[in-house]
Structure formats: C-alpha cells, structure tokens
Amino acid sequence: MYESNMILANEYLSFLLDMRWLTESTISVRRRHLRIFFEFIWQKTTEQIKMNDIRDYVMFLKAKKRGSHSRYHHTWKGAISLMTVQNYISTLRHFYKWYKSMGLETVIIPQLIQSPKVSRKKINALSDKELELILKAPLEIEERKDIMYRNFLLILVGYLLWLRINEALSLTFLQILDTSQILTIKGKGGKERRLFIPELVQQVAREFQKLRGWHIQVKRKNKRYWPKYIYTRTVQDKNPELIFTCLDWANYGQQLKRPSTSIFFRRYEKAMWLTKRITFHRLRHTFGRHLLNNNVDLYTLQHLLWHETILATQYYVEPDDLKIIQAQTSLIPKVEVSPKMNVRIMQALQY
C-alpha cells in the first residue's frame, strides 16, 4: 500500500518540478510531508482514504514530537507548532487537488481539508537603539576587513532592501551595482519585483568587491607544535559574481547559507548586550514598522513588502494609546451650544 501511494506522490512532485511552481528545497519538504502521511495510513491505498483518516492524521500531527522529524531534536522539546501542522495539511490539500485534476477516483474533497487555525503573533521589530547597535556590531567586532564589509552589507540589505533571506543570499554584484539603481528580482511566488537601491548600499558593495580574493592569514590549528606560526594562503574565489559567500580559506566563494548568518547574529547579540533575538527577517519587520511610524499608509506598505493581501500587512500595525486618544478627540463635534449647559461642556464643544 505504502509503495503504491509513494509512486503517486513522486508523480505529483515531478509534476511540480516540471511546472517550476516551487523550488527544489520546497519540493523535498513536500516529499517528507507526503511520506509521513502515507506512513500513517500505510494499510490503505489512496482510493480507500476517507475524511476521517485525514482528521485522525491532523490529531496525530498535533501530538507529534519535534524530535521525530527534526535534526535539532536534542535542543527542541514538546509538540510541533500549529504553523507546521498547517504546512503539512497544505501539502496534503494541494496533492488531492492535483489528484482530482488527473481524473483519478477518490472520495476526498480537497476544499474540505481544513488546517487548524493559528493565532498569528504580532510583528516584533527592532527599536531604533537596537538597530543602531546591530549596525555597529560588525564594524566594532570583526577583525578581518572583508568579513566586516560582508556582514555590514548583509544587514543593510535586510533593512534598506527588505528582502527575504534566500533572495538576499542569491544577489550578485552586477545586480547591486547597476547604474540605474533598480534591482529586479524574482522572489516568493515566482513574481518579478523591482526596488530602488540606495547609494549607501552600492558604496559598501564596491568596497567589499575590492577585498574579494585577497590573501588570507590562517593560524595553524595544531597549536601544540606551532603555537605562534602564521602563514599566508592564497585562495581562489569560486563565485566572484556572488556577493554573500563564505570567506574562510576552505570554502572561499561558496554561497553563504542561512545557518551561517544565524551564527554571527548570535555573536553580535552577545557582544552588544542585546536581549532581543536578531534575525535577518526581523530586519524586514523593522523596515515595515519604521515606515508605519513615518506615516506611510498600510496599502503602500503592502505594495512595498509584496504581500498579496492586506491581511498579512495588518500585523505590522501596533495600536498606540496616544494615537487612539488623538483619533477619538478629533471626532468631538464643534457646535454652538446653549448657555444653559455646563461651562466645561460648552468649552469642549465650542470652536
């Protein structure tokens, strides 16, 4: 049963790959989701699966431990989040939509496969002081000049260009240093987007480009025999067109990965005594929150952040008591009143 179900799952995934709707990494995640589902109902074929089985599967996911599906199980405890359960169910719903479009028989109605509702958290952006500290961190901490420029440029791109981490790590010098100062990228959903590149970002990128491929001084690892021996190694840049690459001598020029960015963000948190967790995506949240504080309307922010609906953008709004008071007092009517009324009420209602 399980083998025949996985054959259908592989056909579905190859269809997605041919249509180029999703990236290979997303397709591999969907393969894992379907594998877990078919392992759960391994006694039934796809034609025999009913809605009750899917409801049982949702309950199984809610009670599922993180360690059973994550390589970081030694640091995680408890059940997986409802947001992750939503991703599992979304994969299943899309699989059955494809299944019915192929004309195959099933009693499952894809529209009835409902994900558990999640109360989304409010946006937790950085304050002006925290943003200033994280911008200063690479300038004060990093000893090597090229690493300092790379990390400083990455923070600027996250805040001033509000890109997502995968979009930023695939940027090239040709895109950033374009004389028109217009960046055209294909981001989430495969949609083409255009944005303006500030002059500051281009200046930092030019200085960083000059430092690429320089001679790196590497300390001998075996300090027992050579405690003070330092030698210079010439490295070859494997991807000179990419901006954000590894700068150690062993992997010089390889594209920087998301976990690597988390490592130096953790160092900056400790060095600058920051209590708030710093991530690349939080820089994007900070950009949106600061724009709202500068009186940019919500629909303009939706266009800048490339949100499909205003529902995703509304989470950037944080109610302020002072603004609520100002909004309410601005609605008090200005009318002429009779002198028989109380003096204070008259003063409040008069022009």
Side-chain angles (χ1 to χ4, degrees):
M1 304 293 184
Y2 170 76
E3 290 77 9
S4 61
N5 291 337
M6 285 306 298
I7 291 174
L8 281 172
N10 291 330
E11 291 180 7
Y12 160 71
L13 296 170
S14 61
F15 165 75
L16 293 181
L17 193 60
D18 293 339
M19 296 298 292
R20 300 185 182 276
W21 285 350
L22 301 172
T23 61
E24 292 186 6
S25 59
T26 307
I27 290 176
S28 65
V29 171
R30 292 205 169 190
R31 179 179 288 108
R32 185 176 72 245
H33 291 174
L34 291 174
R35 177 178 55 79
I36 294 174
F37 172 67
F38 289 131
E39 285 178 353
F40 176 75
I41 45 95
W42 62 275
Q43 293 180 337
K44 295 184 178 181
T45 62
T46 311
E47 297 83 0
Q48 297 171 343
I49 298 173
K50 299 180 180 179
M51 288 300 299
N52 290 335
D53 299 320
I54 294 181
R55 295 190 188 98
D56 294 341
Y57 176 63
V58 173
M59 299 302 297
F60 161 75
L61 290 176
K62 288 182 178 180
K64 186 177 175 61
K65 299 298 182 182
R66 293 185 180 184
S68 58
H69 84 291
S70 171
R71 58 180 175 172
Y72 301 112
H73 62 274
H74 56 282
T75 58
W76 289 2
K77 295 180 180 179
I80 60 178
S81 65
L82 288 180
M83 191 72 73
T84 307
V85 176
Q86 277 190 339
N87 294 335
Y88 278 83
I89 303 304
S90 176
T91 299
L92 195 60
R93 187 188 306 113
H94 195 268
F95 168 74
Y96 272 103
K97 285 182 179 179
W98 168 85
Y99 191 85
K100 289 187 73 72
S101 67
M102 297 297 292
L104 301 174
E105 294 183 1
T106 179
V107 296
I108 300 295
I109 302 175
Q111 291 77 9
L112 296 181
I113 302 177
Q114 298 296 328
S115 302
K117 292 184 178 180
V118 179
S119 57
R120 187 165 177 174
K121 297 180 180 179
K122 291 293 182 181
I123 299 300
N124 193 3
L126 302 176
S127 64
D128 293 339
K129 184 62 177 178
E130 289 169 338
L131 180 63
E132 180 184 354
L133 290 175
I134 201 62
L135 284 170
K136 285 182 179 179
L139 308 179
E140 297 180 0
I141 297 172
E142 300 295 348
E143 298 180 358
R144 282 179 48 184
K145 204 172 182 181
D146 56 344
I147 296 180
M148 178 195 74
Y149 270 102
R150 183 198 65 185
N151 296 353
F152 182 64
L153 181 59
L154 185 64
I155 297 172
L156 284 180
V157 166
Y159 178 65
L160 296 179
L161 299 184
W162 62 94
L163 296 175
R164 297 179 176 88
I165 182 66
N166 292 331
E167 298 167 354
L169 295 181
S170 60
L171 287 176
T172 63
F173 284 107
L174 187 63
Q175 290 176 304
I176 288 293
L177 300 179
D178 193 348
T179 54
S180 65
Q181 292 186 266
I182 299 296
L183 175 63
T184 304
I185 61 171
K186 279 192 175 181
K188 189 176 181 181
K191 296 182 179 179
E192 192 174 84
R193 302 179 174 95
R194 293 163 58 86
L195 51 92
F196 174 75
I197 307 173
E199 182 63 30
L200 174 63
V201 175
Q202 289 192 332
Q203 289 177 359
V204 177
R206 289 192 194 97
E207 294 298 321
F208 176 51
Q209 191 177 28
K210 296 176 184 177
L211 298 172
R212 289 287 291 272
W214 70 313
H215 293 189
I216 301 177
Q217 285 190 342
V218 182
K219 289 186 178 181
R220 187 76 179 185
K221 289 185 177 180
N222 195 341
K223 297 180 181 180
R224 179 179 178 183
Y225 299 103
W226 297 279
K228 297 181 179 180
Y229 180 66
I230 299 177
Y231 64 93
T232 301
R233 177 185 291 273
T234 304
V235 294
Q236 182 180 2
D237 201 340
K238 300 174 184 177
N239 291 309
E241 70 281 355
L242 276 179
I243 299 179
F244 302 110
T245 59
C246 298
L247 297 179
D248 58 293
W249 67 271
N251 302 309
Y252 199 93
Q254 290 186 3
Q255 185 177 11
L256 201 65
K257 301 298 181 183
R258 184 197 300 258
S260 301
T261 62
S262 300
I263 290 173
F264 66 74
F265 274 133
R266 297 295 82 74
R267 278 200 303 120
Y268 295 164
E269 288 173 15
K270 294 179 181 179
M272 307 306 286
W273 298 90
L274 291 170
T275 56
K276 188 175 291 186
R277 174 60 61 93
I278 307 297
T279 61
F280 188 83
H281 204 74
R282 182 155 286 175
L283 296 172
R284 174 182 167 89
H285 291 169
T286 306
F287 161 82
R289 179 62 59 76
H290 287 183
L291 280 186
L292 282 179
N293 294 340
N294 291 330
N295 299 322
V296 173
D297 63 275
L298 204 59
Y299 289 96
T300 303
L301 183 62
Q302 176 194 356
H303 177 72
L304 289 173
L305 293 174
W306 312 318
H307 290 158
E308 291 188 3
T309 64
I310 199 69
L311 298 176
T313 316
Q314 69 181 6
Y315 291 99
Y316 285 81
V317 179
E318 186 176 26
D320 188 359
D321 292 339
L322 181 60
K323 290 182 179 180
I324 292 174
I325 294 172
Q326 292 174 350
Q328 286 184 278
T329 53
S330 66
L331 296 177
I332 295 178
K334 308 294 184 180
V335 295
E336 295 182 3
V337 296
S338 171
K340 296 180 181 180
M341 297 186 66
N342 188 286
V343 177
R344 292 184 179 179
I345 298 177
M346 289 175 59
Q347 292 175 353
L349 292 174
Q350 285 176 349
Y351 286 96

